[in-house]
Amino acid sequence: MSDEAPLDVVVIGAGFAGIYALHKLRSQGLAVRAYETGSDVGGTWYWNRYPGARCDVESLDYQFGFSDELQRGWNWSERFATQAEILDYLRYVADTLDLWRDIQFETRVQAAIFDEPSGRWRVTTDTGDRVNARFCISAVGCLAAAPVADFPGLDTYRGETYHTGRWPHQAVDFTGKCVGVVGTGSSGVQAIPLIAEQARELVVFQRSPNFSVPAVNRPLVADWVDAYKERFAEERARAKTTDFGNAAWTTVPHSALEASVDEREAEYESRWREGGAGFMIAYADLMANKQANDTAADFIRRKIRETVKDPETAELLTPRDHPIGAKRICVDTDYFETFNRDNVRLVDVRSAPIERITETGLRTVAGEFELDCLVFATGFDAMTGPLNAMDIRGRGGVPLKERWAEGPGAYLGLAVCGFPNLFLITGPGSPSVLSNMVVSIEQHVEFIADCIAAMGASGCATFEATQAAQDAWVEHVNHEADLTLFPQGNSWYVGANIPGKPRVFMPYTGGVRAYREKCEEVVAGGYAGFQLTPAPADKAAIN
Ligand code: NAP
C-alpha cells in the first residue's frame, strides 16, 4: 500500500491496452503503474471464460504488431483463438516485456480526481492506495461492465447463476442439469452449443434473434504460420489501411446491387463456407444501403431455414428487426444446428416477456420453467459503463459521468474537454469495437505516448481537448454513423440494452484508415484541437 507516491502515469486496466501502454510509456523512461481489478492480465479475456469463448478476429491478426520478437516467439494453434489461448499469449507478452512488476492486481481504481493547483491526477483504489500522477490513462476496455439485468425475484432464486462476462475460474459442470440461458448475442451464440452438449436440458430464452455466420474454425498449419510470420509486418501495415483493421478481410469493391443474383449468391456462399465475420464486408455498401444489406440478410435467413429442422423454431431464430450487421454479427460453431437437438428448446421472450425469476426457475408471461442453473448472456454496459463505474472528476470537480449524462463526448474518442492529461484508449468516438481492437489499441497507445513525449520536449504541463474540437468531432462521428445502417439496430453500440442509457451511436464508423489519417493530421497541425498549457517552473520541478 502506498500513500501519495508520485508517478508519471497511472494506467487503469491490464488487458491488451493496459499492458501495451505500460510497456510503451515505461520504455520512454516514465514511472508507470497499472492497476487491474482481476488477478491476472487479460482484461475482457480474463473475465469472459464461458464455454466456447473465443475471438472472432483471426488469431494471426489479433496480436500485437509493435514487436517482431513477440510475433515470432508465439505460435497460435487455431484460426480463431480460444479465450484460454489469448490469456496465455498475454501472459507471454507480460513475461517477455517484464511487465508484472508494475502491475498491481486485485486492485480496483475507485476514483481519479484532477487536482487543479498541482495539475496532477489523484487516484485512489479499493485497497487503500492513494497515488498521484501527471497522466491518467484509462485502459478499461469497452466491454468490461457486465451488469445482470434487474429481473424481479433474482435474489430469491435457489439455483446457480452465471454471467458470461464474469465466468468463474473453476470449471462449471452442467452435466445432468436443466440450464436456462438468457441472451442470444455473440456470447450466448458461442456458449449455447457447448452447454447443450453437457446439459440434460437447455432452455434458451431469446428476446431478439441475431444474424450469425459459421466460424469454420480450424487448426493452423505450422508451415503456413511460419510463412505468415515472415510477412507479418506487411500484413499489419495493410491492416492499418483498411476500414476494420483486419488483414484477412477483403471486399468486392462495388455495390452488392451491381452484381447479378448468381454472382451475389456465389460470393455469399463462398464467404459462408470460408467462415468468419468477413461475410459482412462482402460488398462495399452492405452497411450503407438497405437494399444491398437485404441481399446478405436474406442469404442468412435462408441458411437458418435450411439448417433448423423445425420450421417454427427456424422462424423464431430468423432476425427481421434490424439490418444485418447493425447489431454485431455473431460468429458461431453449430449454433443453429444446436436447435435440432432433442434436449434444446427455444423460448421467445419478445412475445411473452420474462416476468420474474422464481425460487426454482424463471417465469414468463406464457409459463414457468424449472431450472437448476441460469446463465445470463445479457451483455455489457458498453464503452461508457467501465468509465462511469469510477469516480472520475476533471476541472472544477466535475464528474465525467455528469459530463456524459446526455451521451459521451470525447475528442477523437481519446480525450475529454475539462479533463486534462486524461487519455481514453479506444474510448467512445474512436473505431474501437468496430475494428480489430488490437490494431486500434496500438494506434491509441502510440498517439498518447508521442503526445506525452512531445509535451515533455516542449515543457507543457497539461494537454486538453478544446470544447470546439470535441463538439466538431462528436458531430462528425454522428454524421458518419448516420450515413450507415448501424444506428438502425437496438444494439449495445447505441446503449439500447441498458435501460435509461442515452441513445448515442458510440463507436466511430469512418474506419481505421480514415481515423488514423485524422489523428496524423491533428499531430501534423501541432496537436490541433488540443490546448497545451505551459508548465510553470515550480510545477515542472515535481514532474
Ligand atoms: P449482447 O450482444 O448485448 O447480447 C445480449 C443478449 O442478451 C441479447 O440477445 C439481448 O437481447 C439479451 N438480453 C439482454 N437483456 C435482456 C433481458 N432483460 N431479457 C431478455 N434478453 C435480454 O452481449 P454479448 O453477447 O455478451 O456480446 C457483446 C459483445 O461482446 C459482442 O457484440 C462482441 O462485440 C463482444 N463479444 C465478442 C465475442 C467474440 O469475439 N467472438 C464473443 C462474445 C462477445 P436484445 O438483443 O433483445 O437486447
Side-chain angles (χ1 to χ4, degrees):
M1 195 187 299
S2 56
D3 192 31
E4 293 290 332
L7 290 166
D8 294 314
V9 186
V10 162
V11 173
I12 311 173
F16 271 94
I19 65 175
Y20 184 37
L22 168 59
H23 167 69
K24 181 83 185 159
L25 293 166
R26 210 176 60 176
S27 61
Q28 289 181 191
L30 298 168
V32 188
R33 183 176 309 147
Y35 287 107
E36 166 57 52
T37 309
S39 60
D40 202 344
V41 291
T44 201
W45 298 108
Y46 171 89
W47 298 104
N48 285 269
R49 30 183 99 211
Y50 57 85
R54 60 172 82 233
C55 190
D56 59 8
V57 175
E58 305 208 11
S59 25
L60 293 168
D61 273 351
Y62 197 76
Q63 62 178 327
F64 285 123
F66 65 85
S67 155
D68 194 48
E69 183 199 348
L70 280 179
Q71 72 91 12
R72 283 187 187 276
W74 183 258
N75 292 309
W76 294 103
S77 66
E78 292 178 84
R79 180 185 181 196
F80 295 106
T82 59
Q83 168 271 336
E85 190 168 16
I86 297 171
L87 212 51
D88 285 345
Y89 167 73
L90 290 171
R91 290 186 188 123
Y92 149 79
V93 172
D95 284 343
T96 310
L97 303 177
D98 184 24
L99 300 178
W100 302 104
R101 63 190 157 90
D102 288 315
I103 308 173
Q104 191 165 318
F105 292 102
E106 297 180 357
T107 306
R108 178 185 291 279
V109 169
Q110 288 179 316
I113 295 176
F114 184 66
D115 177 65
E116 287 188 65
S118 65
R120 295 176 74 83
W121 283 89
R122 299 199 180 281
V123 175
T124 50
T125 72
D126 65 351
T127 52
D129 284 40
R130 289 164 55 81
V131 291
N132 76 79
R134 197 171 158 213
F135 298 98
C136 183
I137 299 183
S138 163
V140 292
C142 297
L143 298 166
V148 171
D150 195 13
F151 293 105
L154 184 57
D155 55 339
T156 67
Y157 181 56
R158 294 203 303 258
E160 300 153 27
T161 59
Y162 304 95
H163 189 293
T164 46
R166 285 289 177 277
W167 203 260
H169 285 220
Q170 64 282 14
V172 177
D173 187 4
F174 293 115
T175 309
K177 299 202 167 146
C178 180
V179 182
V181 173
V182 182
T184 51
S186 299
S187 305
V189 158
Q190 285 187 332
I192 284 164
L194 291 177
I195 297 176
E197 280 176 17
Q198 253 189 13
R200 173 168 52 83
E201 213 184 311
L202 171 64
V203 188
V204 176
F205 298 95
Q206 174 192 269
R207 187 164 68 183
S208 317
N210 260 313
F211 291 99
S212 189
V213 290
V216 192
N217 186 37
R218 52 181 174 249
L220 289 173
V221 176
D223 286 354
W224 194 82
V225 173
D226 289 346
Y228 195 93
K229 286 183 185 198
E230 293 304 318
R231 61 174 205 280
F232 179 77
E234 258 167 72
E235 296 281 355
R236 182 49 63 97
R238 198 160 56 76
K240 290 175 179 175
T241 66
T242 64
D243 281 347
F244 297 96
N246 280 319
W249 288 6
T250 57
T251 301
V252 179
H254 58 70
S255 167
L257 304 176
E258 283 173 41
S260 70
V261 172
D262 287 350
E263 280 166 351
R264 266 199 315 260
E265 180 66 19
E267 186 63 38
Y268 292 146
E269 186 62 36
S270 110
R271 283 173 190 255
W272 179 268
R273 285 172 193 273
E274 173 55 21
F279 181 91
M280 257 335 292
I281 58 158
Y283 291 99
D285 61 347
L286 287 188
M287 285 314 295
N289 178 325
K290 178 67 169 54
Q291 221 186 324
N293 184 283
D294 283 343
T295 64
D298 284 343
F299 177 87
I300 295 208
R301 291 185 187 117
R302 206 175 65 237
K303 287 290 184 192
I304 298 171
R305 279 197 302 277
E306 285 169 10
T307 308
V308 180
K309 290 185 186 139
D310 172 46
E312 228 174 277
T313 306
E315 181 52 32
L316 265 184
L317 286 166
T318 302
R320 300 192 189 280
D321 66 349
H322 63 279
I324 182 171
K327 285 182 168 183
R328 188 185 171 103
I329 194 163
C330 302
V331 177
D332 73 270
T333 300
D334 295 338
Y335 177 64
F336 293 117
E337 289 83 348
T338 296
F339 293 91
N340 293 331
R341 296 176 65 106
D342 291 339
N343 68 333
V344 176
R345 179 172 168 195
L346 182 66
V347 173
D348 175 21
V349 295
R350 166 76 61 203
S351 62
I354 297 171
E355 259 186 4
R356 63 180 299 110
I357 310 293
T358 64
E359 281 184 27
T360 54
L362 183 154
R363 190 160 74 222
T364 73
V365 170
E368 185 131 4
F369 301 83
E370 301 272 308
L371 302 163
D372 301 313
C373 315
L374 254 172
V375 173
F376 295 104
T378 44
F380 301 88
D381 182 355
M383 305 197 79
T384 52
L387 289 159
N388 286 340
M390 295 179 283
D391 183 11
I392 300 178
R393 294 174 193 236
R395 287 193 193 281
V398 175
L400 183 66
K401 211 174 177 170
E402 198 177 294
R403 281 298 299 272
W404 284 4
E406 304 298 318
Y411 181 37
L412 301 173
L414 259 168
V416 184
C417 176
F419 295 77
N421 293 2
L422 171 72
F423 293 99
L424 314 177
I425 301 177
T426 64
S430 71
S432 58
V433 292
L434 292 184
S435 68
N436 175 350
M437 283 297 275
V438 185
V439 167
S440 286
I441 282 168
E442 285 190 323
Q443 189 248 337
H444 265 186
V445 169
E446 286 157 17
F447 180 98
I448 294 165
D450 288 351
C451 169
I452 290 177
M455 284 174 72
S458 65
C460 279
T462 56
F463 181 90
E464 184 177 353
T466 67
Q467 191 65 54
Q470 181 171 308
D471 291 347
W473 181 252
V474 170
E475 199 181 313
H476 173 63
V477 170
N478 290 334
H479 171 77
E480 289 290 311
D482 288 341
L483 297 175
T484 73
L485 304 172
F486 280 107
Q488 294 183 25
N490 282 326
S491 66
W492 57 264
Y493 295 145
V494 293
N497 59 325
I498 300 295
K501 190 163 174 172
R503 192 179 174 108
V504 173
F505 193 84
M506 293 182 283
Y508 178 56
T509 57
V512 163
R513 182 191 55 240
Y515 178 80
R516 176 180 293 271
E517 285 168 2
K518 171 70 186 174
C519 289
E520 285 167 358
E521 203 181 294
V522 164
V523 175
Y527 289 101
F530 289 101
Q531 191 172 358
L532 283 74
T533 314
D538 58 339
K539 274 189 201 162
I542 62 165
N543 292 331

